[in-house]
Amino acid sequence: MRNKIVAGNWKMNTTPVEGIALVSEVLEAIKNIDLEHKKVVFGVPAVSITSVASVIGDTSNVYVASQNVSSYDSGAYTGEISAAMLVASGAAMAIIGHSERREYFNETNEVLAVKVDKVLDKGVVAIYCCGEVLEERKNGTFETVIQNQIEEGLFHLSEDQMKNVVIAYEPVWAIGTGETASPEQAQAVHAFIRRLVANKYGAELAENTSVLYGGSMKPGNAKELMGMADIDGGLVGGASLKSSDFVEIIKAM
Ligand code: PGA
């Protein structure tokens, strides 16, 4: 049975002190919720990984994720943070290939494939993002775009490695815009992604791969989206910064 996952992506928001407060509020509000086969993830700025990890402590099924990783192991790469450093700081997961990384920092499928390798090598789960821009949605090339992102970023992995990958489908036109893919639109892409994984790695592995939806998920639409057969949770940006909204989304899972 695949896990349901609600992952917050704080992006470049919150200081470490604010982060501690936000996580503490969420943990307090969900302490009586049964998280069996479910995960709650906080994708925090790198400077907050250590402090958020220590707030979480050994709380079951709650994890810290980084929002990026270096494609290098160590050395003269000023400003970069390696997978080994993330693990040592307490990150159990890493968001890789977010559309903002692709768009503003020119991250290609090729470099993202290396980043995925780097985190998996250290036992960190990769949350690999894919998704089309509005024009690709309109001109009907979105499936090809998503297929390329997945094939080029992930399909060099072995079956064992692939078991430590979560896929996030985030239509770029729905990120931070208030506009959400309809549950049917999202479901169609999620089913498409699962078929791609099944064709490459077999039906069983595909059945066990969590595929999250991201793009203006909020309390008002989370339940309907996560109720679709192939939508296993959410990667949540804006709504993860407000504890009450994030808690509602966790409850909808
Ligand atoms: P949003 O961001 O929920 O603010 O649309 C989602 C994301 O970018 O992961």
Side-chain angles (χ1 to χ4, degrees):
M1 184 179 165
R2 58 185 180 255
N3 286 304
K4 294 251 179 205
I5 301 171
V6 166
N9 174 13
W10 293 357
K11 310 192 180 185
M12 198 170 71
N13 296 294
T14 71
T15 63
V17 168
E18 290 164 348
I20 289 169
L22 180 52
V23 170
S24 305
E25 280 169 30
V26 173
L27 292 185
E28 176 60 26
I30 65 168
K31 67 182 179 202
N32 294 321
I33 295 180
D34 179 9
L35 291 178
E36 204 186 341
H37 297 299
K38 293 176 185 166
K39 293 182 182 178
V40 173
V41 181
F42 295 94
V44 307
V47 291
S48 290
I49 291 173
T50 308
S51 49
V52 167
S54 75
V55 173
I56 290 171
D58 56 7
T59 310
S60 303
N61 302 316
V62 180
Y63 305 93
V64 189
S66 69
Q67 301 174 6
N68 186 21
V69 67
S70 177
S71 55
Y72 300 100
D73 286 329
S74 67
Y77 301 102
T78 302
E80 290 288 278
I81 299 174
S82 72
M85 294 171 185
L86 295 176
V87 174
S89 305
M93 301 178 131
I95 300 168
I96 309 276
H98 190 279
S99 61
E100 288 147 20
R101 300 292 321 167
R102 293 175 183 269
E103 184 181 349
Y104 306 136
F105 303 96
N106 305 316
E107 294 193 358
T108 59
N109 292 333
E110 200 179 2
V111 75
L112 294 171
V114 176
K115 292 188 173 202
V116 168
D117 291 343
K118 293 300 176 192
V119 298
L120 293 180
D121 270 0
K122 297 290 177 218
V124 171
V125 170
I127 303 175
Y128 180 77
C129 303
C130 61
E132 79 283 3
V133 299
L134 185 58
E135 184 171 342
E136 295 157 346
R137 165 62 56 174
K138 282 187 175 156
N139 68 21
T141 57
F142 61 98
E143 285 192 345
T144 311
V145 169
I146 293 162
Q147 182 163 358
N148 287 340
Q149 289 169 335
I150 297 218
E151 286 181 354
E152 293 172 17
L154 295 178
F155 280 6
H156 61 289
L157 298 174
S158 70
E159 226 175 278
D160 268 353
Q161 287 175 309
M162 192 63 190
K163 289 178 184 160
N164 285 318
V165 172
V166 170
I167 297 172
Y169 168 57
E170 299 204 302
V172 180
W173 47 273
I175 294 178
T177 57
E179 191 174 337
T180 320
S182 70
E184 293 72 24
Q185 275 175 326
Q187 163 60 26
V189 176
H190 283 235
F192 172 71
I193 291 170
R194 203 177 304 284
R195 276 199 302 279
L196 293 174
V197 176
N199 290 341
K200 171 78 180 170
Y201 294 100
E204 192 185 338
L205 197 149
E207 267 309 300
N208 288 319
T209 300
S210 300
V211 185
L212 316 184
Y213 169 79
S216 299
M217 186 180 270
K218 41 191 178 253
N221 60 25
K223 200 164 188 155
E224 202 186 353
L225 283 161
M226 291 193 272
M228 304 305 284
D230 288 286
I231 302 183
D232 307 313
L235 183 54
V236 185
S240 72
L241 291 169
K242 197 173 157 204
S243 61
S244 56
D245 282 357
F246 195 53
V247 166
E248 284 309 305
I249 294 171
I250 293 167
K251 287 182 178 166
M253 159 166 69

